[in-house]
Amino acid sequence: VTLLAAVAAILVAPDATATTRGQSAQGWKFQEGGVGATETEAMEAERANYSLWIMTAARTSGGQLADAQVTIVNDKGEQVFERRLDGPWLMIDLPLGRYEVHARTGEQSQSRITTIHPGDHHQIVFYFNVEGGVLPKP
């Protein structure tokens, strides 16, 4: 099976997973997932409940990527969140402040800085140089 065929099968496969909800060590709620149309629609319906939305995708195809490692560091240099994502989306309700957000997949790593103000909703998309889209490792 070629990578392209595997990606095509993933894109048309029925939704078999559910989003993951949790809380960071600081008690900030998060939700991750977005594999398949049903999960993506469910997450988009809840976007207003989170201050930061992160998505990982393939640069050339735009295909969404799962299995990225996301780390968030506050303005004091303290790591406040770290997780390997089960899907391409992470939504987290960060409190006001400045954050450096890191995403890593394979040997590629990227960082963005964002500042959450009252009532803010920010979105960060990390594009990686990979073929198609990939699912989490079994």
Side-chain angles (χ1 to χ4, degrees):
V1 175
T2 67
L3 178 60
L4 185 58
V7 170
I10 290 165
L11 294 176
V12 298
D15 298 330
T17 61
T19 62
T20 300
R21 295 172 189 264
Q23 286 190 336
S24 71
Q26 296 78 8
W28 309 329
K29 66 181 178 178
F30 72 88
Q31 183 175 0
E32 65 159 305
V35 176
T38 302
E39 276 190 28
T40 301
E41 289 172 12
M43 289 185 74
E44 285 182 4
E46 295 189 38
R47 286 175 69 141
N49 298 321
Y50 298 90
S51 58
L52 180 62
W53 315 315
I54 298 168
M55 186 185 80
T56 55
R59 182 176 312 280
T60 54
S61 71
Q64 296 180 347
L65 300 176
D67 206 32
Q69 180 75 28
V70 172
T71 304
I72 301 174
V73 177
N74 67 16
D75 60 353
K76 297 175 184 169
E78 302 165 332
Q79 181 177 302
V80 297
F81 184 84
E82 182 175 38
R83 186 170 179 89
R84 181 163 304 281
L85 303 183
D86 289 334
W89 283 96
L90 168 67
M91 301 186 307
I92 185 166
D93 194 25
L94 296 173
L96 306 181
R98 183 177 183 273
Y99 300 92
E100 189 167 348
V101 181
H102 305 275
R104 179 176 181 82
T105 185
E107 296 298 316
Q108 300 175 60
S109 182
Q110 298 179 32
S111 298
R112 305 278 191 288
I113 294 175
T114 190
T115 302
I116 307 295
H117 298 96
D120 274 358
H121 298 283
H122 292 248
Q123 179 171 319
I124 298 174
V125 180
F126 291 101
Y127 289 102
F128 293 96
N129 294 321
V130 296
E131 295 287 324
V134 294
L135 277 179
K137 295 175 186 167

